[in-house]
Amino acid sequence: MKISLNWLRELVELPPEVDAERAAAALTGQGLEVEGIEPKGRELSGVVVAEVLGIRPHPGADKLRIVRVRAGKREEDVVCGAPNVPPSGNRVCWAPPGARLPGGRTLDAREVRGVLSPGMLCSEIEMGFSEAAEGILILPPAAVPGEDVAKVVGAVDDVFEVNVTPNRPDALSHLGIARELAAHFGTRVRLPEVDQVPEVDGGLAMDVDIVDAQGCPRYTARFIAGLSVGPSPISMRLRLAYCGMRAISNVVDATNYVLLETGHPLHAFDFDRLQGRIVVRRAREGERTTTLDGQERGLVPEDLLITDARGPVAIAGIMGGATSEVSAATGNVLLEAATFEPRSIRRTAKRLGIPSEASYRYERGVDANGIPFASLRAASLIAKLGGGSLVRGTVDRFPRPPAKVTVPLSLTKLRRVSGVDYDITFAIQQLTRLGMGCKPQGDGLLVTVPSYRPDITIAEDLIEEILRMGEYGKPARKDRIASNATELANPEGSADRARRLLAGAGLSEIVTWAFVSKAALAAISGDGKDATLGQGITLRNPISADYEVMRTSLLPGLADALKRNLSRGVADAWLFEVGPVVRRAPGGDATPVENNHAAGMLAGRRGGWLKPGEPLDFYDLKRVVEDVLRGFGIADARFVSPGAEPFLHPGVSAQVLSPSGAALGCLGELDPRVLRKLGIDSAAFYFELQVAGLAWATASLRTAAPPRFPAVSRDVSFWIDLATQAAAQRAAFLSAAEPLLCDLGVLEDFRDPKYVPAGKKGVLWSMTYRAADRTLTDAEADDAHQRVVAALAAAFPIQIR
Amino acid sequence: MASEGAGTAQDLVRSFESLAADFSTEIAGLRTEPEIRLAQTRYLGKKGRATDLMKQLGRIPPGDRPAVGAAANRARESIEKLVEERLAGLAEALLAGELARSVDVTLPGRGRRAGTIHPLSRVRMEIEQIFLGMGYEVRTGPLIETEWNNFDALNTGADHPARDMQDTFFVEGGLILRSHTSPVQIRTMLAGPPPVKIIAPGNVFRRDDDATHTPMFPQCEGLHVDKNVSFEDLKATLIAFVQRFFGPQTDIRLRPSFFPFTEPSAEVDASCFLCQGKQPARATCRLCKGTGWLEIGGSGMVHPNVLAAVGYDKYDVTGFAFGMGLSRMAMLKYGVTDLRLFYENDLRFLQQFPAG
Ligand SMILES: [Zn+2]
């Protein structure tokens, strides 16, 4: 909301040292944050009010005239080309030599078609007051010749952008902000003066009937007769513009002016275009109306309407109707000042998508008790500006007057919530400054809340009021710091454990959004064949089609990040993400299942500066996964091929199972077809693990002392069927149940068809033998090794090499 | 015979003397320990030249034998000493060669570099550590929430104006994406009686997408409910936090504000850690834009309606809550000027955040 400091100064007396900065600091400190201060009118200087003394033609040009003007004691002949130079006695704006205009232009005396002109007469555009104007600006007769125009019209101002929280409807006006400043500086608010205008009896009258008192607690109508519609004075138009409102006509501008001043929305109807009486009611099914912006609007029965004998004349609290709009021909006005139920206004404004200054305030709550003043102020202003008269006899329907609100506040509670032992005098002093009435009650107070503060309903609200007048800013009492710092919870959740392990393994963490496109889920799910991956939870109101479904896997985000890095020339990308994926609950339960996953994507070449990098393969990926598993204490996870996921290469993928057989995740090369769909032009390796699975599979750590006797190693090398996996060979070796065998591993898996018999592979195993109680002899080791190799030979056809 | 015998004894003594001289000449050309040992064996071994000479001792008259024996011992000692010296010299030369080796220490280490932790994770971990140290537990909750947990329980009814402040994402089944982590507070309080002392970090969602807003962003909220928890405790806790996070000189400023779930409510500003809020540095400070203060979050005393909604006795306990945006904290802490960098996932940005 924009607030003019000039306007504020009219409504509250501020100490002389209070400038824009200090006023803003006071408001911010009290919870009405001033987000910016915009200085206005500083670019205009030296333009003065001048009286027209006479006009004569220019000898050298038909369209130019020579205007004799007087400002103070100075009289000059100024050349002017404007068509609207007023007759003698009127006031115009004269920029004499030396005057400065917005845009940096400085006036001088110059010859215009052979006549020397000392400066010029200015239009609103030239002085920066508006974007459009016809001819020069003519000031009201009250303007004193010689005075500075910028000051006379109020162009020099500071405009605050105030962020008013939705609980403070009372602060949505200059008067409301003035009240806050008065409380801060200990001064008083001055209500704006009501203009003295002629009053007449009779002539205009119209009854008002409120059918829906729930929706409309108060409706008043005043009548202004015999006015003429025209532009409003420049000072008012300028002030409206500074506050973000467009000037329309004196009648409409006056209602907007009083709205900004008091916070009360007002609506002016062309009285002569109304028929019968005003009825406030809900819309009927299928009813339609055209609002004054020319739009035809369909209505629903919850919409509150102002109607006359013919139908809707306004959508209550939101926008007037086209049929009763004030126009240039309007001579008589019905001025509406009313309150409407906030919820009803909010729903209708939201549904129709037409937020307005009026609805903004009605949605937050307008004070019914402030209506008589606002209505009188606006009606008088309209009459003054339009040259009309107030018609005696105001209609005031007030079916639901607000209850007087009193809130008890106990001193105990004040002290308990604030943590400070304030005394009751302090509370009274703070609350009184804010316009609250205080009466002693029990150990505390019974506080009467002004009707413009609907946000105050409980003791805690009063405590905030007491504290916000300065107490928030006081330093904290140090003895309160970090009390009872006792129990230290587990500092590292499983997800962070996975993060640290993956970073240690050489991957960099990324963060992607929890929603992805439907196309991405289709790409990773075999076009939806895998429903777990393909059927994500959809958003009803996504930002765009790129983010319309909750991710079922971390793959789309990682693929996207890889693609972006590759396109930016970063070829070596080892990425990981840890975060929740959202999947449909099995059995149609409405609440989806969220689980933290840890996933990684590897692309590029093996690192190192000593040798040119080899392309990555499955085993680089597997080492990363093993590092994470080992980090969680899972040394003997099982890798079972083929992988179950539709996005992995069928031959280069595996499921990861815990020792007890629980699924922990998957790993493998991405299927080239999926890569193509994801737009990645490079081989990439991927894994995805369930963090909770890792945490559950973690066995408690058991250790043994290092062996005391040395070990002996023996190798065995053989041809075996290509299909017999290392895990199967290992199991066969272990089936010997050889007590001396303490470790075994593959040293070589050799498949070059030039040397290996068809359908076979060459494998080299190395075994370690050790006894716990003695050093083994060579013979003992040989015997043990023979038994172990025999067990393999018994299980599979092999040829020892 | 005596003369012959005497002659033989003298010859023998001379032979032993030349034995040592011969050995000295021979090993001068040898370069390795095995060669030297082999030469030593040829002179002093069982089949060596010294043994051969000793075999002639029987022909020497017994009276001359001690002189020959002494010569033999001298020769042996002399050879052994030569061997020792030579081997020591050789070892020294080897060591000198070994020590002469050097590497270019400025070449990089071998193998893959350790990876990195995302700045938003880093800043969250740091904040968690600070509050863990103050006795808080870390609690998390689901992203998809009920409107009741996200709004109603937090004193934000269907027509509450605060629902306009945040635009919510709706998903199937009448559920929403949580718009703050406050539902974790509700879940925690519903799960057990006070005292409650938790922080709730996590991602939240609002329908905003521009230079300064992302539709998903991380938050961290805190909640402390117990008997006699006051606004002063809130202030003190926030001070303790900012001093650990930004540095011991940091101060806070509270400004009255409005949140439906707290009363009284306050915006929290921390004094700028770059300029310390002091002139003249403040006037040109880019971080705080000359204000001396950095907005870090919101806070307040838990609204009695929230306590009532979770079944706590609002006459018995009080509490405070606070919340902050982690993107903002990370931007301040690491000097990141563009929010979008957190979600672009460009490795050249991310790799500036070490895992340690
Ligand atoms: Zn600063």
Side-chain angles (χ1 to χ4, degrees):
Chain A
M1 184 186 52
K2 292 190 188 304
I3 290 289
S4 147
L5 183 58
N6 285 354
W7 206 337
L8 283 181
R9 287 188 196 277
E10 289 171 14
L11 298 172
V12 60
E13 190 177 319
L14 296 178
E17 72 277 11
V18 176
D19 57 3
E21 289 279 344
R22 292 182 68 164
L27 291 172
T28 298
Q30 265 160 237
L32 295 159
E33 188 189 359
V34 177
E35 292 177 324
I37 305 175
E38 199 184 341
K40 294 280 195 183
R42 306 293 203 274
E43 288 186 301
L44 181 70
S45 76
V47 181
V48 292
V49 179
E51 183 186 357
V52 177
L53 297 177
I55 307 169
R56 56 197 168 89
H58 188 287
D62 287 348
K63 289 194 171 166
L64 296 178
R65 278 177 292 175
I66 297 167
V67 185
R68 183 144 192 95
V69 294
R70 180 181 65 85
K73 289 180 180 140
R74 211 168 148 192
E75 275 189 38
E76 298 277 3
D77 287 325
V78 183
V79 177
C80 182
N84 68 329
V85 180
S88 301
N90 279 290
R91 307 284 189 266
V92 292
C93 306
W94 173 34
R100 274 194 304 117
L101 299 179
R105 182 172 166 202
T106 303
L107 274 295
D108 53 15
R110 71 168 59 174
E111 234 173 64
V112 183
R113 295 284 185 96
V115 177
L116 188 74
S117 179
M120 62 187 267
L121 303 184
C122 299
S123 72
E124 288 183 35
I125 306 173
E126 284 151 343
M127 291 184 287
F129 296 165
S130 67
E131 317 251 291
E134 279 171 29
I136 58 171
L137 175 62
I138 298 161
L139 295 173
V144 180
E147 286 196 342
D148 188 275
V149 170
K151 290 222 177 71
V152 168
V153 303
V156 181
D157 201 350
D158 290 286
V159 177
F160 294 174
E161 181 63 51
V162 185
N163 177 10
V164 180
T165 50
N167 61 325
R168 294 292 306 274
D170 65 296
L172 291 172
S173 67
H174 284 76
L175 194 57
I177 299 290
R179 271 197 298 259
E180 287 285 317
L181 289 176
H184 184 94
F185 293 109
T187 57
R188 280 177 170 280
V189 158
R190 293 185 288 233
L191 280 184
E193 233 168 87
V194 174
D195 296 293
Q196 296 302 308
V197 290
E199 286 188 47
V200 294
D201 282 312
L204 306 180
M206 188 168 280
D207 202 7
V208 173
D209 183 11
I210 300 175
V211 174
D212 193 320
Q214 191 61 38
C216 179
R218 185 172 200 177
Y219 194 101
T220 69
R222 275 182 193 274
F223 306 94
I224 304 107
L227 55 82
S228 53
V229 173
S232 42
I234 179 65
S235 54
M236 180 179 278
R237 283 187 280 131
L238 212 48
R239 212 167 249 194
L240 289 174
Y242 284 179
C243 295
M245 287 186 109
R246 209 162 46 89
I248 292 164
S249 67
N250 50 6
V251 174
V252 178
D253 291 354
T255 61
N256 284 336
Y257 191 85
V258 176
L259 163 76
L260 295 174
E261 189 172 65
T262 64
H264 283 275
L266 299 142
H267 185 68
F269 293 98
D270 184 333
F271 180 86
D272 300 317
R273 295 168 77 184
L274 297 173
Q275 282 195 4
R277 56 191 185 123
I278 295 286
V279 176
V280 186
R281 61 161 171 87
R282 299 282 168 180
R284 302 192 177 108
E285 197 71 62
E287 210 166 1
R288 306 183 73 79
T289 186
T290 302
T291 43
L292 50 77
D293 56 0
Q295 299 275 324
E296 197 184 341
R297 315 268 179 185
L299 302 168
V300 300
E302 69 173 6
D303 297 335
L304 194 67
L305 297 179
I306 313 299
T307 64
D308 72 353
R310 280 181 299 192
V313 292
I315 303 173
I318 296 174
M319 197 175 269
T323 54
S324 57
E325 188 184 355
V326 170
S327 69
T330 301
N332 299 310
V333 159
L334 183 155
L335 180 71
E336 164 199 294
T339 59
F340 303 110
E341 188 208 14
R343 198 168 47 169
S344 164
I345 302 296
R346 186 174 320 122
R347 285 192 179 149
T348 301
K350 207 166 188 177
R351 190 177 55 76
L352 295 175
I354 36 173
S356 65
E357 292 281 345
S359 69
Y360 185 75
R361 286 169 176 79
Y362 279 127
E363 285 175 26
R364 285 159 177 75
V366 167
D367 176 20
N369 293 335
I371 283 187
F373 176 76
S375 167
L376 177 63
R377 161 87 172 125
S380 307
L381 191 56
I382 291 170
K384 183 184 125 187
L385 297 177
S389 316
L390 280 188
V391 177
R392 286 197 192 92
T394 305
V395 183
D396 187 352
R397 300 282 173 264
F398 201 176
R400 278 203 311 131
K404 194 177 106 180
V405 175
T406 53
V407 178
L409 171 69
S410 81
L411 190 59
T412 320
K413 180 149 213 170
L414 170 61
R415 290 175 172 176
R416 193 160 68 105
V417 172
S418 67
V420 182
D421 287 337
Y422 294 116
D423 60 30
I424 203 74
T425 346
F426 178 77
I428 294 171
Q429 179 199 328
Q430 300 286 82
L431 293 172
T432 308
R433 284 161 76 186
L434 287 162
M436 318 233 183
C438 298
K439 255 199 310 200
Q441 178 182 285
D443 83 327
L445 300 169
L446 185 66
V447 179
T448 308
V449 179
S451 57
Y452 54 79
R453 290 298 304 272
D455 57 312
I456 294 174
T457 57
I458 57 172
E460 281 79 0
D461 297 323
L462 292 173
I463 294 170
E464 179 174 273
E465 293 302 304
I466 293 167
L467 297 184
R468 86 184 168 89
M469 304 304 293
E471 295 302 298
Y472 271 56
K474 298 216 172 125
R477 285 138 183 91
K478 298 284 179 189
D479 57 321
R480 299 284 191 155
I481 287 176
S483 54
N484 66 352
T486 49
E487 28 170 355
L488 246 170
N490 170 22
E492 200 177 352
S494 300
D496 281 348
R497 200 168 162 191
R499 281 186 181 91
R500 293 210 164 88
L501 289 166
L502 285 163
L507 284 73
S508 286
E509 189 187 10
I510 65 164
V511 172
T512 68
W513 291 347
F515 22 61
V516 298
S517 68
K518 283 189 171 151
L521 290 195
I524 67 165
S525 63
D527 285 323
K529 275 187 221 98
D530 184 324
T532 309
L533 290 171
Q535 306 294 310
I537 301 289
T538 51
L539 269 63
R540 292 231 177 108
N541 54 343
I543 291 251
S544 79
D546 287 340
Y547 313 112
E548 61 184 335
V549 53
M550 299 304 286
R551 64 186 178 191
T552 54
S553 155
L554 299 178
L555 177 54
L558 278 157
D560 204 46
L562 173 62
K563 197 164 73 179
R564 182 167 303 145
N565 278 285
L566 291 175
S567 77
R568 293 181 178 183
V570 183
D572 176 46
W574 287 35
L575 308 170
F576 79 90
E577 180 164 17
V578 177
V581 302
V582 183
R583 291 175 177 176
R584 253 166 232 291
D589 187 346
T591 308
V593 180
E594 296 182 27
N595 276 311
N596 268 331
H597 281 196
M601 175 86 89
L602 272 50
R605 297 183 165 264
R606 236 166 265 159
W609 51 272
L610 282 174
K611 291 179 201 159
E614 299 269 309
L616 296 177
D617 67 21
F618 178 83
Y619 301 102
D620 295 290
L621 174 73
K622 192 174 174 192
R623 200 218 76 216
V624 171
V625 172
E626 284 170 339
D627 277 356
V628 174
L629 294 170
R630 276 168 213 271
F632 273 89
I634 309 165
D636 40 6
R638 284 157 52 196
F639 293 82
V640 179
S641 71
E645 278 67 20
F647 50 78
L648 294 178
H649 188 297
V652 192
S653 61
Q655 302 170 55
V656 187
L657 305 179
S658 76
S660 65
L664 298 180
C666 66
L667 80 167
E669 189 167 349
L670 284 173
D671 187 308
R673 292 164 290 187
V674 176
L675 280 174
R676 217 171 299 132
K677 280 184 195 157
L678 294 171
I680 295 170
D681 190 20
S682 146
F685 296 86
Y686 182 77
F687 69 86
E688 186 155 349
L689 300 170
Q690 298 163 25
V691 174
L694 297 178
W696 290 324
T698 302
S700 58
L701 192 58
R702 312 302 305 162
T703 60
R708 291 170 57 205
F709 295 95
V712 181
S713 74
R714 292 287 182 274
D715 294 351
V716 58
S717 178
F718 49 86
W719 305 122
I720 190 165
D721 279 353
L722 205 47
T724 311
Q725 288 185 327
Q729 299 168 39
R730 181 187 171 90
F733 286 128
L734 291 176
S735 72
E738 173 53 53
L740 297 179
L741 178 64
C742 64
D743 197 12
L744 73 168
V746 175
L747 288 189
E748 217 179 281
D749 180 319
F750 184 62
R751 303 182 180 207
D752 190 338
K754 268 193 264 178
Y755 307 101
V756 180
K760 303 277 180 187
K761 60 186 170 186
V763 188
L764 171 63
W765 283 83
S766 181
M767 280 76 176
T768 307
Y769 298 93
R770 191 195 330 260
D773 53 354
R774 63 189 189 281
T775 303
L776 286 186
T777 64
D778 281 354
E780 278 178 305
D782 289 342
D783 286 352
H785 189 52
Q786 229 166 46
R787 288 191 291 272
V788 168
V789 171
L792 177 73
F796 300 110
I798 61 165
Q799 294 158 263
I800 302 287
R801 294 167 64 201
Chain B
M1 281 308 283
S3 72
E4 196 194 330
T8 308
Q10 273 189 354
D11 288 348
L12 212 47
V13 167
R14 230 173 278 125
S15 296
F16 272 117
E17 280 163 359
S18 70
L19 192 66
D22 289 355
F23 183 77
S24 173
T25 315
E26 191 169 327
I27 68 163
L30 302 182
R31 289 284 171 272
T32 67
E33 184 178 351
E35 286 171 347
I36 292 165
R37 291 291 182 199
L38 207 64
Q40 183 186 14
T41 311
R42 277 203 304 277
Y43 280 79
L44 301 182
K46 283 179 194 163
K47 294 170 183 168
R49 284 172 64 182
T51 311
D52 288 347
L53 289 176
M54 284 304 279
K55 283 178 186 160
Q56 299 176 29
L57 198 62
R59 286 186 271 147
I60 304 295
D64 295 339
R65 286 184 193 168
V68 174
N73 275 341
R74 278 198 305 280
R76 175 178 300 274
E77 277 165 15
S78 159
I79 288 172
E80 279 173 350
K81 197 171 162 232
L82 278 168
V83 166
E84 236 166 71
E85 284 170 3
R86 189 83 183 86
L87 286 181
L90 218 55
E92 216 165 279
L94 264 176
L95 185 61
E98 170 66 21
L99 294 178
R101 219 160 36 82
S102 73
V103 296
D104 180 350
V105 298
T106 63
L107 282 169
R110 189 175 298 141
R112 189 166 181 87
R113 293 279 147 102
T116 50
I117 300 251
H118 195 281
L120 296 177
S121 293
R122 251 180 99 87
V123 83
R124 172 182 53 74
M125 290 173 182
E126 187 173 340
I127 289 168
E128 285 178 9
Q129 289 305 317
I130 292 170
F131 283 105
L132 286 163
M134 291 198 262
Y136 286 74
E137 282 177 46
V138 179
R139 293 291 176 95
T140 55
L143 307 184
I144 295 182
E145 265 294 359
T146 61
E147 290 197 58
W148 194 85
N149 279 348
N150 195 79
F151 290 122
D152 302 76
L154 289 153
N155 197 32
T156 316
D159 288 302
H160 200 289
R163 283 202 182 183
D164 292 349
M165 288 171 88
Q166 46 204 14
D167 217 343
T168 313
F169 281 111
F170 290 85
V171 301
E172 311 166 29
L175 298 170
I176 60 166
L177 297 186
R178 65 181 181 188
S179 62
H180 44 193
T181 56
S182 311
V184 180
Q185 300 184 15
I186 298 302
R187 286 170 177 269
T188 306
M189 290 192 283
L190 286 173
V196 166
K197 205 175 172 189
I198 59 155
I199 58 164
N203 281 321
V204 302
F205 303 84
R206 291 181 199 172
R207 289 191 78 252
D208 257 342
D209 196 9
D210 57 40
T212 53
H213 298 89
T214 49
M216 180 184 98
F217 58 96
Q219 260 195 348
C220 183
E221 293 188 345
L223 173 72
H224 183 187
V225 179
D226 203 345
K227 291 182 191 240
N228 298 316
V229 172
S230 73
F231 196 69
E232 279 298 310
D233 295 305
L234 168 64
K235 267 191 195 175
T237 301
L238 291 170
I239 287 213
F241 167 71
V242 298
Q243 293 190 340
R244 284 168 210 199
F245 189 79
F246 290 118
Q249 307 305 317
T250 315
D251 195 5
I252 58 161
R253 177 176 79 171
L254 297 184
R255 286 181 287 116
S257 188
F258 168 69
F259 309 108
F261 31 87
T262 50
E263 190 67 43
S265 304
E267 298 277 356
V268 186
D269 298 342
S271 59
C272 176
F273 63 90
L274 254 194
C275 64
Q276 310 292 354
K278 295 196 176 83
Q279 300 290 15
R282 197 184 111 185
T284 55
C285 183
R286 282 174 299 112
L287 192 63
C288 63
K289 300 190 173 67
T291 62
W293 295 99
L294 306 168
E295 284 184 34
I296 62 166
S299 67
M301 299 302 294
V302 180
H303 197 287
N305 290 356
V306 176
L307 297 174
V310 297
Y312 282 10
D313 181 352
K314 64 179 183 184
Y315 301 105
D316 186 45
V317 292
T318 50
F320 64 73
F322 55 85
M324 62 193 114
L326 296 184
S327 330
R328 171 139 183 90
M329 300 303 275
M331 289 175 87
L332 292 174
K333 185 101 182 181
Y334 308 130
V336 177
T337 50
D338 181 2
L339 176 70
R340 296 264 144 190
L341 288 174
F342 292 133
Y343 302 98
E344 256 180 30
N345 293 314
D346 188 317
L347 279 169
R348 295 163 299 176
F349 171 70
L350 295 179
Q351 284 176 345
Q352 302 171 79
F353 300 94

